[in-house]
Amino acid sequence: MLQRIKVILVGTTHSGNIGSAARAMKTMGLSQLCLVAPECDIDAQAIALSAGAEDILQKTQIYSDLASAAADCHLVLGASARLRHLQQTLLEPQAAAQRAMQILHTPATNVALVFGRERVGLTNDELLQCNNHVFIPTNPDYRSLNLAMAVQIVCYEMRKAWLEQTPQSIAAPAAQSPRPTAQALQYFFQQTEIFYTALGFIKNRAVMDKLQHLYQRADLSESELNLLNGMLATVQKVQGRNISTKNAQLFTNEQKVDES
């Protein structure tokens, strides 16, 4: 299960943090490291601070954006210190790890742990791509955590949850519909935004952000997402037919006027 957890670092600026993150991962049994638009290379400093986790650095995958890195993941957990706007989606590391184990109990599923830039963290758009947000309850008077420290804490909780799990403690019936991938969710969000913007319902980005939050909290299964996609496609089809009928009627009326 731990091998199906991706650690995704976004916009990393210091190579030493990449190496230290790889070390933190390896001590907890995780091996998939992904970098999104890194601002530094995996250099000698990264290798030195990996302290024997060079194999993880050698297999590191690099992507241009978060959507691509998390496309095949069925649960995306984004680490964030922001509290005010994320209350409904916040999980502490232990709860996040339990949730991850529930997802990973189903074969062929993947989980992403996303960590942002050293100075500013994840952008609002990147946070919206996460199903849940992981908040480490640090001292409110001094919340400063090094990137690799945050990776270590979350990876530790993942390993602990994995060690503690039993077949009875994880409810994942064989008939349960699998979770959609992040790529499938993003496609649905894109189609929803395009269609309802055209209808005039979505007039600004804030409306779409709220819709994304709503669907993320709903924790949709793959079959439920397919149902929503089907509903959206049907409405689009009917709307298109109505537009065609109106155009045809307008053309007929214009002909009658010309004939008269």
Side-chain angles (χ1 to χ4, degrees):
M1 287 186 179
L2 297 177
Q3 302 303 312
R4 288 187 275 128
I5 300 177
K6 287 185 179 182
V7 172
I8 302 176
L9 307 183
V10 180
T12 312
T13 57
H14 301 291
S15 62
N17 285 331
I18 298 174
S20 296
R23 178 181 183 178
M25 291 169 57
K26 190 166 184 175
T27 59
M28 295 300 139
L30 283 70
S31 60
Q32 287 196 68
L33 177 61
C34 301
L35 304 179
V36 171
E39 297 184 16
C40 59
D41 297 322
I42 298 177
D43 56 16
Q45 184 180 25
I47 294 172
L49 290 179
S50 72
E54 292 181 40
D55 55 326
I56 292 180
L57 296 179
Q58 290 169 356
K59 295 184 298 181
T60 298
Q61 296 183 316
I62 299 177
Y63 297 87
S64 60
D65 55 65
L66 177 56
S68 301
D72 64 341
C73 294
H74 301 79
L75 177 67
V76 183
L77 300 169
S80 177
R82 302 185 194 181
L83 292 175
R84 188 171 60 178
H85 301 297
L86 304 174
Q87 289 289 349
Q88 294 174 311
T89 56
L90 280 177
L91 294 173
E92 290 191 8
Q94 185 177 11
Q98 294 295 335
R99 181 157 169 69
M101 291 304 118
Q102 289 176 343
I103 300 303
L104 293 169
H105 188 68
T106 301
T109 54
N110 301 292
V111 169
L113 308 178
V114 185
F115 298 86
R117 300 154 188 82
E118 289 94 333
R119 291 185 64 251
V120 296
L122 298 169
T123 65
N124 289 335
D125 181 64
E126 289 161 350
L127 287 169
L128 280 170
Q129 295 178 51
C130 301
N131 301 104
N132 290 94
H133 304 96
V134 183
F135 174 73
I136 299 172
T138 53
N139 176 4
D141 295 327
Y142 188 72
R143 295 193 182 278
S144 180
L145 267 181
N146 175 271
L147 174 60
M149 292 177 182
V151 172
Q152 184 76 78
I153 290 170
V154 178
C155 288
Y156 163 70
E157 291 294 348
M158 293 291 159
R159 182 169 186 81
K160 188 172 71 169
W162 174 68
L163 290 172
E164 292 174 350
Q165 71 173 346
T166 63
Q168 292 77 24
S169 67
I170 298 180
Q176 183 177 340
S177 175
R179 289 178 57 84
T181 63
Q183 185 177 41
L185 274 174
Q186 289 305 313
Y187 175 79
F188 171 68
F189 294 152
Q190 290 168 2
Q191 293 303 307
T192 298
E193 183 172 12
I194 291 170
F195 181 61
Y196 286 105
T197 298
L199 287 181
F201 176 73
I202 296 177
K203 299 182 182 298
N204 55 63
R205 182 64 204 179
V207 175
M208 191 59 210
D209 289 351
K210 290 178 181 178
L211 284 175
Q212 281 194 234
H213 276 303
L214 185 154
Y215 285 121
Q216 294 284 24
R217 292 200 308 275
D219 194 20
L220 298 170
S221 68
E222 190 175 76
S223 62
E224 289 169 337
L225 183 62
N226 289 339
L227 179 64
L228 288 174
N229 276 319
M231 291 171 60
L232 185 59
T234 300
V235 175
Q236 289 173 323
K237 185 176 181 180
V238 171
Q239 182 71 11
R241 187 186 303 134
N242 289 342
I243 291 173
S244 297
T245 301
K246 288 179 181 178
N247 288 339
Q249 290 175 342
L250 180 61
F251 178 72
T252 301
N253 292 336
E254 287 177 348
Q255 277 190 320
K256 289 180 180 178
V257 171
D258 290 341
E259 290 172 358
S260 62

